[in-house]
């Protein structure tokens, strides 16, 4: 069975708005982390906003990573999006929990959720996340959209933690 793996950039205080994570230089360790994710990916599951942001930029990127990333099947969790120009893509039909359970049963590699904070929170709430992979930045931003839904308690088991030379820590958790 395929796993649903949520991957997110977060601040030390748990804010997942990537545009607020400034002042850290991307490095080779972060490249390796993302290359490992891509090698493990069979598909992407995205919310509408993240899909639209990615669709506006990724098709214009070049290189091996971009080519492989763009070629992944994309599943979009949205009730409002009608046009999906970044192919291959399809909109999930029906209630989210049932649609994701069906995706997990299908053949192919693991399903990665990039960004898509609201979607990730819904998947966590329904117990549909098998792994969480975080790049935790060494800064507190003080406000913004938290990765974990306020008021919702969840327990996790640490799978791995790897500090990078730029202060970022790669964390992987499984629901406990």
């Amino acid at each position: 069975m395929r796993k649903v793996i949520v991957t997110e950039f977060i601040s030390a205080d748990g804010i997942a708005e990537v545009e607020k994570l400034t002042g850290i230089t991307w490095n080779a360790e972060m490249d390796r982390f993302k290359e490992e994710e891509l090698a493990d990916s069979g598909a992407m599951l995205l919310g509408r906003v993240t899909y639209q942001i990615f669709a506006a930029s990724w098709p214009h990127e070049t290189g091996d990573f971009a080519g492989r990333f763009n070629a992944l099947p994309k599943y979009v969790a949205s009730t409002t999006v009608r046009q999906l120009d970044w192919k291959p893509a399809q909109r999930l039909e029906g209630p989210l929990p049932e649609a994701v359970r069906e995706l997990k049963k299908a053949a192919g590699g693991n399903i990665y959720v990039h960004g898509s904070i609201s979607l990730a929170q819904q998947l966590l709430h329904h117990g549909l996340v098998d792994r969480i992979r975080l790049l935790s930045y060494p800064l507190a931003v003080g406000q913004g959209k938290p990765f974990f839904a306020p008021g919702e308690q969840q327990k996790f088991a640490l799978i791995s933690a790897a500090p990078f030379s730029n202060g970022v820590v790669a964390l992987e958790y499984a629901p406990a």
Side-chain angles (χ1 to χ4, degrees), residues 55-116:
S57 63
W58 274 103
H60 307 292
E61 296 293 325
T62 59
D64 178 61
F65 185 94
R68 292 181 290 138
F69 193 74
N70 284 319
L72 284 172
K74 297 143 198 75
Y75 299 97
V76 183
S78 172
T79 58
T80 59
V81 71
R82 296 290 174 241
Q83 188 169 331
L84 299 172
D85 294 327
W86 186 32
K87 304 288 184 194
Q90 70 182 62
R91 189 167 63 91
L92 289 183
E93 299 295 333
L96 180 67
E98 288 80 10
V100 173
R101 284 186 192 98
E102 288 303 312
L103 277 181
K104 289 177 78 165
K105 292 178 189 175
N110 291 323
I111 303 161
Y112 274 78
V113 179
H114 298 272
S116 305

Side-chain angles (χ1 to χ4, degrees), residues 61-172:
E61 296 293 325
T62 59
D64 178 61
F65 185 94
R68 292 181 290 138
F69 193 74
N70 284 319
L72 284 172
K74 297 143 198 75
Y75 299 97
V76 183
S78 172
T79 58
T80 59
V81 71
R82 296 290 174 241
Q83 188 169 331
L84 299 172
D85 294 327
W86 186 32
K87 304 288 184 194
Q90 70 182 62
R91 189 167 63 91
L92 289 183
E93 299 295 333
L96 180 67
E98 288 80 10
V100 173
R101 284 186 192 98
E102 288 303 312
L103 277 181
K104 289 177 78 165
K105 292 178 189 175
N110 291 323
I111 303 161
Y112 274 78
V113 179
H114 298 272
S116 305
I117 302 165
S118 296
L119 172 61
Q121 290 174 348
Q122 291 176 59
L123 295 170
L124 283 163
H125 176 77
H126 290 289
L128 295 168
V129 175
D130 299 288
R131 292 282 189 275
I132 298 170
R133 297 190 76 192
L134 304 172
L135 285 178
S136 180
Y137 279 59
L139 55 101
V141 296
Q143 64 181 14
K145 188 155 188 176
F147 174 65
F148 295 102
E152 193 155 316
Q153 293 186 359
Q154 305 205 5
K155 289 188 132 191
F156 301 99
L158 180 66
I159 303 297
S160 66
F164 295 161
S165 59
N166 61 0
V168 171
V169 179
L171 299 162
E172 185 168 357

